[in-house]
Each structure stands twice: as C-alpha cells, then as structure tokens.
Amino acid sequence: MLYILLKMKTTQAFCHSEMQIFPGPRYRTHMKQPLWIIILVSFIIVFLICAYMYPPQTSDACYIFSSRGCKVITDWLPPAPARELTDEEVASHVFIREILNSPIVSSKTPKLAFMFLTPGSLPFEKLWDKFFNGHEGKFTVYVHASKERPTHVSSHFLDRDIHSDQVVWGKITMVDAERRLLANALMDPDNHHFVLLSDSCVPLYGFDYIYKYLMHSNISFVDCFKDPGPHGNGRYSEHMLPEVEEKHFRKGAQWFTMKRQHAIIVLADNLYYSKFRNYCQPGLEGRNCIADEHYLPTFFNMIDPTGIANWSVTHVDWSERKWHPKSYRAEAITSELLQNITSIDVSVHVTSDKKKEVQRWPCLWNGLHRPCYLFARKFNPQALDKLLYLFSNYTTI
Ligand SMILES: *[C@@H]1O[C@H](CO)[C@@H](O)[C@H](O)[C@H]1NC(C)=O
Ligand SMILES: *[C@@H]1O[C@H](CO)[C@@H](O)[C@H](O)[C@H]1NC(C)=O
Ligand SMILES: *[C@@H]1O[C@H](CO)[C@@H](O)[C@H](O)[C@H]1NC(C)=O
Ligand SMILES: *[C@@H]1O[C@H](CO)[C@@H](O)[C@H](O)[C@H]1NC(C)=O
C-alpha cells in the first residue's frame, strides 16, 4: 500500500516536472524550475568539456577516482579523434589479439626454454650443468654463439647450438639473435616459457623454484619503464610515426622471460620491428638508440601492457652509475652477497634526466609479494669455482 502511494507520488512528480520542461506561454510565471534545469545542464556541459580536455591519464589519477571510477569516466568521454589505422596495423592488431586470447596447447611435460646469447663458450656451463642435473624432461637449452663455436663441457649443452649470426651491441642484430632463439625454441611445442640469458648470467635458485616461478606465472617478465631523459625518450625518432608515438616509447633491460603467446607475437611482428630496425640504431640522427633496450619494452607497452611484469628477473647492479654494470669478481662472491640479491622484493628504475627520479615497484607474482630475481649478472668467469662451491648451499630453499 505504502509502495503504491509512493509510486503514485513519484509518477505525479515526474509528470509535473515534464510539464515544466516544455513550458507553454501560459507557464511563464513558473520560471524557477526551468532555470534550475538550465543551470544543471550547463554544469554537465562544463564537466564534460573539462573531462574531455583533462582526461585522467596517469594511473595516479585512476587511483584517485578508484580504478573502477576511472573506467567509468573514460567510458563517458567521446572517443579521442582516432587516427585511421593502416592496413598493416589493422592486420597486426587482429593477429595479436587472436594469439593473446588463444590458450596454448597444454602438454604433458611443459618445459622451460633456456636461451643463451653468448659470443662463444659459456664460462658458467658447469654451474648450469649442476643446476639442470636431475630435471631432465623439464627444460630445453638453446645456444646462440655469435663469434666463435663454443666448446661444451656439459651433456645438457651438447648439440644445442643453433644457427647463429654476428651480433653488434646496440644494433638490431641483437634483436635478430633473440628472435632466432625464440624461433628455434618455439619449434618444440612443449616449451611454454622462454628465458633469455647471457654468458655472464648465473642462477640464484635451484631448478624447481625457478620452474614453478615462471611456469605458474600468467605474465611475461619484460623490463619496461618510462624514462623521459636522454637515454630514454631522448632516443625516440619521429620517423617511427605514425605507428609508434613518443608517449608509448619505453626502455628496459633486454634479459626477458616470456610466455609462449608472447614469444609467438614477437616472432610474428614485422610492422613495429621494422620501425626499430630502421630508426633505432646507435649514432642515427645524433641519437644513441639501442634497439634491444627499446623495441620489446615499447612493443609490449603498446600491445599488452598488463601482460608484462615491467621488471626483469635477471638482477644487475648499476649502482656504480658507470657505462657498464658492476661485474662481480671471485672475491666478492659470498653467501651474504647472494642472500642480499635474493632478498630484494622491490624493483627500482632510475630516469636519466636531471631529476634522476627513482621509480620503485613491489615485485608482485600473481598478486603476491615475492623476490624479484631468479638470475643475476654480471659475473666474472673466475667466479665459477666460488659459485660451484656455494651453489648447493644457496639453492637449498
Ligand atoms: C606494467 O605497467 C603498465 C603501465 O605501464 C601497467 O598497466 C601494468 O599493469 C604493469 N604490470 C603489472 C604486472 O603491474
Ligand atoms: C648485504 O646487505 C647489507 C644490508 O643492506 C649490507 O650491509 C651488506 O654490505 C651487504 N653485503 C654484500 C656482500 O653486499
Ligand atoms: C594474473 O593473475 C593475477 C592474480 O591471479 C590477476 O590479478 C591478473 O589479472 C592476471 N593477469 C593476466 C594477464 O592474466
Ligand atoms: C650457507 O648458508 C648459510 C645461510 O643460509 C650461511 O650462514 C653459511 O655460512 C653458508 N655456508 C657457506 C659455506 O658459505
């Protein structure tokens, strides 16, 4: 009964106000309500104009509105005046979306692909041999030696050299070598996650820990951050337009791990790859663009930003702020050093501009705080014996 009464009241009120919206000449005396509506409408228009001119762009703004609020507000906006995509871009977007949405064929023995990018023999092959022992069937090894044919001391590395080509630091040949490794590793349908390592990398954990960490992660560990300084966006070239805009340009260390879908996409990409091949080279147009530090971070930031972790699981120490990172000598290697590295659970990036802004993100693994690093570089070849001696101690977690 009460409900019906209420309903009648609201209906009446509604009819009443509707009449006020279209006032005939006879209602001139009732100007108060239309004025109220005009003010409200003006407010909405002003709000929409403001929202259009100052859309919440940073994730900080999204947090202020709460992530849901942010979405609602952006949905309200008229779509930004979109550039017409080229045929190649449309094809590429379709292709990428299909691959991202397709589940990988599950296999009875999913494997990790360890892809070594090295000039020649691997100084830490004996350590890796210890690392792999007893886990046969759960990994495959690929070696791309760009300068000289390596001699192998471990059975896990025998006949694992792939066809290789010259690699010039900073040039696209580095990316080509990464793609060659991915192509070879993708041929094995059991490879589900792909790890890129250098000759100076060592494992920080035993095999089982690393296997679980990577296999049960739903993202790829690709390093990616925005550096407005000379070693970041200062390397961007407008020749990359229209496909690659400066606002999408990112930087990151090349040592990635990647899930299978991402590996396929990297191999399939020609459009964005060719932009970096042509316009990201050391010395081009006075810029010192390093293809392997920008192509994959920028590419993933554009095509699947939430599918990457934004940090690399390979630790490196840049604290000396030199052109090359710190290289650990045998004397420096102690249980304490290794413990220090494995206890880090926040990733740090520093911009190269005058502000030297420090960006810190907690390392989240499937939403949980976990140590950031599974591997570390750079280790001096003389450090091998010390690492072999310590290995079983530091990997018994
Ligand atoms: C990586 O950064 C992008 C924005 O640059 C963000 O959208 C994404 O959520 C980040 N990834 C993770 C796992 O937090
Ligand atoms: C390990 O970390 C502690 C605390 O930050 C520091 O005092 C110590 O010097 C570090 N040791 C090594 C070998 O890096
Ligand atoms: C990965 O898993 C986390 C936690 O389960 C979830 O929040 C996130 O959306 C997932 N990311 C992707 C790319 O599936
Ligand atoms: C083994 O590791 C423990 C800490 O986990 C450390 O106290 C000990 O010194 C290490 N042993 C050697 C031989 O370094």
Side-chain angles (χ1 to χ4, degrees):
M1 185 63 184
L2 186 67
Y3 168 73
I4 290 166
L5 267 177
L6 272 174
K7 185 141 182 163
M8 278 173 69
K9 265 203 146 171
T10 48
T11 323
Q12 271 175 356
F14 179 70
C15 295
H16 188 65
S17 63
E18 203 165 40
M19 277 162 68
Q20 295 303 331
I21 294 171
F22 308 101
R26 282 175 297 144
Y27 290 89
R28 286 268 154 108
T29 47
H30 292 278
M31 274 301 282
K32 267 186 196 160
Q33 273 100 335
L35 194 62
W36 179 81
I37 287 163
I38 287 165
I39 289 170
L40 179 70
V41 167
S42 325
F43 262 112
I44 292 174
I45 287 170
V46 169
F47 173 76
L48 281 179
I49 290 170
C50 286
Y52 181 69
M53 287 173 66
Y54 307 102
Q57 276 169 338
T58 64
S59 52
D60 289 354
C62 294
Y63 280 117
I64 294 166
F65 288 107
S66 94
S67 61
R68 261 188 85 206
C70 186
K71 189 153 172 40
V72 171
I73 286 170
T74 47
D75 283 351
W76 266 40
L77 299 177
R83 171 175 63 83
E84 198 178 346
L85 300 183
T86 63
D87 290 348
E88 263 188 309
E89 275 176 297
V90 173
S92 170
H93 290 194
V94 169
F95 206 45
I96 288 168
R97 201 189 48 222
E98 288 293 315
I99 297 172
L100 282 178
N101 291 340
S102 63
I104 46 171
V105 182
S106 64
S107 77
K108 250 188 254 160
T109 50
K111 291 191 288 187
L112 271 182
F114 288 84
M115 313 182 299
F116 291 88
L117 194 51
T118 172
S121 296
L122 292 161
F124 298 111
E125 202 171 296
K126 268 191 186 162
L127 183 69
W128 286 106
D129 183 70
K130 218 169 175 174
F131 171 81
F132 288 132
N133 275 342
H135 303 282
E136 290 75 9
K138 285 183 162 179
F139 67 90
T140 31
V141 170
Y142 302 86
V143 181
H144 183 288
S146 54
K147 277 206 182 120
E148 54 192 34
R149 211 177 161 75
T151 45
H152 293 296
V153 290
S154 157
S155 60
H156 301 305
F157 287 79
L158 272 186
D159 298 324
R160 302 310 304 166
D161 296 313
I162 65 162
H163 160 76
S164 68
D165 210 337
Q166 207 194 7
V167 170
V168 180
W169 182 80
K171 292 213 173 168
I172 201 74
T173 49
M174 185 71 93
V175 176
D176 293 340
E178 294 173 7
R179 283 161 56 116
R180 206 172 286 127
L181 278 163
L182 283 174
N184 277 271
L186 278 166
M187 281 199 263
D188 185 339
D190 290 334
N191 285 334
H192 279 204
H193 205 101
F194 303 75
V195 186
L196 182 69
L197 297 157
S198 81
D199 49 314
S200 75
C201 287
V202 304
L204 292 172
Y205 292 93
F207 186 89
D208 285 328
Y209 183 89
I210 291 178
Y211 184 87
K212 278 188 201 134
Y213 194 107
L214 295 177
M215 284 304 210
H216 297 160
S217 160
N218 55 1
I219 57 174
S220 294
F221 293 91
V222 176
D223 193 26
C224 176
F225 78 110
K226 190 170 189 169
D227 177 2
H231 302 317
N233 281 23
R235 296 168 172 176
Y236 172 76
S237 161
E238 282 182 354
H239 282 117
M240 294 187 186
L241 287 171
E243 292 89 348
V244 184
E245 295 176 50
E246 187 177 347
K247 66 177 181 193
H248 291 136
F249 202 65
R250 291 292 184 277
K251 182 179 175 168
Q254 75 184 113
W255 310 108
F256 62 73
T257 85
M258 223 175 252
K259 56 181 189 173
R260 192 170 176 96
Q261 289 98 331
H262 282 160
I264 297 173
I265 290 171
V266 169
L267 212 58
D269 175 48
N270 187 50
L271 176 61
Y272 300 99
Y273 163 81
S274 59
K275 288 279 163 172
F276 283 82
R277 183 192 57 208
N278 298 342
Y279 305 113
C280 181
Q281 297 172 17
L284 188 72
E285 301 169 0
R287 296 180 180 87
N288 219 10
C289 195
I290 314 286
D292 57 80
E293 286 186 358
H294 296 282
Y295 165 54
L296 290 180
T298 305
F299 181 55
F300 279 105
N301 178 54
M302 290 173 69
I303 61 144
D304 192 16
T306 57
I308 57 168
N310 301 320
W311 90 85
S312 163
V313 287
T314 297
H315 178 265
V316 70
D317 186 349
W318 283 104
S319 63
E320 293 176 347
R321 304 235 163 138
K322 291 191 188 148
W323 189 243
H324 288 290
K326 184 170 173 170
S327 185
Y328 300 103
R329 289 140 55 93
E331 307 87 80
I333 293 158
T334 55
S335 298
E336 188 186 303
L337 172 75
L338 296 164
Q339 245 169 39
N340 276 8
I341 297 175
T342 50
S343 66
I344 299 170
D345 61 0
V346 173
S347 80
V348 178
H349 292 95
V350 184
T351 62
S352 64
D353 55 353
K354 286 209 187 80
K355 282 198 240 158
K356 300 242 175 285
E357 188 200 330
V358 180
Q359 305 174 4
R360 289 172 192 279
W361 305 312
C363 292
L364 295 179
W365 177 89
N366 291 353
L368 308 167
H369 284 260
R370 284 292 176 272
C372 303
Y373 303 115
L374 303 178
F375 310 100
R377 56 191 275 268
K378 304 178 86 159
F379 286 79
N380 200 304
Q382 279 83 48
L384 175 66
D385 289 338
K386 198 78 174 279
L387 285 163
L388 280 173
Y389 169 68
L390 289 175
F391 184 77
S392 34
N393 195 28
Y394 76 80
T395 55
T396 48
I397 316 169

